[in-house]
Amino acid sequence: MTLVGFVIMITAVLPQQDTVSKQDTVPAAPPPVVVPAPPAPPPAPAVPPTPTIEQTRYMEGLKTATRGIAQVRDGLNRVVRTQSSDSLTRAHAAKRLGGLCGSGRSFIVSGRPKMQPAAYADSVRILAKQLTVRLDSLSTAMTTCEKTAGRDPATVTTTLTTRLKAYDDALLAFRNAQAALYKPDSTKTVSQQ
C-alpha cells in the first residue's frame, strides 16, 4: 500500500470538513425542551374561626350536661329492658331510674350555667337558646322522675322519652349549625375564596 492509497483510505473513513463556509459539520443541538412550570398549588383551605372563650365555656357546659343525659338514658333503658321481667326486677329498675335521674340532674344543673346562648351569633344563637330551653325542661322533668319513678315508672318513662327526643332534636340542629360555621362554602369558586 502506498502513501496515496493510505491517504485515500483515511479520507474515506473520516467525514470531510468544510473549510470554506466555516460551519461545523456536527449537526446543531436540538432546541432546549421547555418544561412548563408546575401548576400553582390550590389555595390553603379556609381556616375555621377559633371559638371564643364564651363558646368554649358553652361547649364545656354541654359536655357536662351530656354526662347527666347519658345517666338518664341508662336508667330508661333499664326500665324498658325489664318490662318483661318479674315485678321485683321492674321495681329495682324503676328505683334505679329515680336515682339516675337525681345524679343526672346534678350534672345538668352544674353544666347548665356555663351554657350562655349569647356566646353565639345569629341563627346559632337561636339554636343554642332552644337547646338550653330543652335542657331546662328535661331538668324539671328529672325532679319529678326522682320522686315518682319508683311508684309510676310508666308515666315517668313516657315523659322523659318525649323530652329526651325534643332535646336530641335541638342538639342535632345545634351541632349541624356549628358544623356549617366551620365548613367552607362549597359553592364558591377558587377565585372567590
Side-chain angles (χ1 to χ4, degrees):
M1 188 165 336
T2 65
L3 186 58
V4 176
F6 184 74
V7 173
I8 293 176
M9 193 155 101
I10 291 177
T11 57
V13 174
L14 296 175
Q16 295 288 330
Q17 183 176 6
D18 184 9
T19 58
V20 178
S21 67
K22 297 184 180 181
Q23 291 181 350
D24 290 334
T25 56
V26 179
V33 177
V34 178
V35 178
V47 177
T50 56
T52 64
I53 295 170
E54 293 84 14
Q55 291 171 347
T56 304
R57 280 195 60 175
Y58 188 97
M59 294 308 292
E60 288 172 357
L62 180 60
K63 183 177 171 184
T64 303
T66 303
R67 290 178 65 192
I69 299 293
Q71 290 186 349
V72 172
R73 285 187 201 282
D74 180 51
L76 286 172
N77 288 338
R78 287 174 190 264
V79 170
V80 170
R81 279 193 318 258
T82 59
Q83 290 302 312
S84 61
S85 301
D86 61 296
S87 62
L88 184 61
T89 306
R90 286 192 307 249
H92 283 325
K95 286 179 184 176
R96 180 74 165 232
L97 173 61
L100 288 171
C101 281
S103 63
R105 184 176 169 280
S106 67
F107 276 107
I108 291 172
V109 167
S110 67
R112 172 60 183 88
K114 296 178 184 177
M115 298 173 63
Q116 297 301 318
Y120 294 96
D122 301 331
S123 62
V124 181
R125 178 181 293 182
I126 294 168
L127 295 172
K129 177 68 175 165
Q130 287 175 352
L131 183 61
T132 56
V133 167
R134 298 296 195 289
L135 203 55
D136 292 341
S137 169
L138 199 53
S139 178
T140 304
M142 285 188 202
T143 304
T144 307
C145 168
E146 222 177 330
K147 296 174 184 171
T148 62
R151 291 179 301 210
D152 188 13
T155 305
V156 170
T157 302
T158 304
T159 303
L160 282 179
T161 302
T162 304
R163 295 206 182 176
L164 275 174
K165 172 78 171 99
Y167 168 80
D168 288 340
D169 292 342
L171 180 63
L172 180 65
F174 175 74
R175 297 243 189 226
N176 286 339
Q178 258 192 329
L181 279 179
Y182 296 111
K183 187 172 97 175
D185 188 1
S186 63
T187 61
K188 290 184 179 180
T189 61
V190 175
S191 62
Q192 290 176 335
Q193 290 180 352

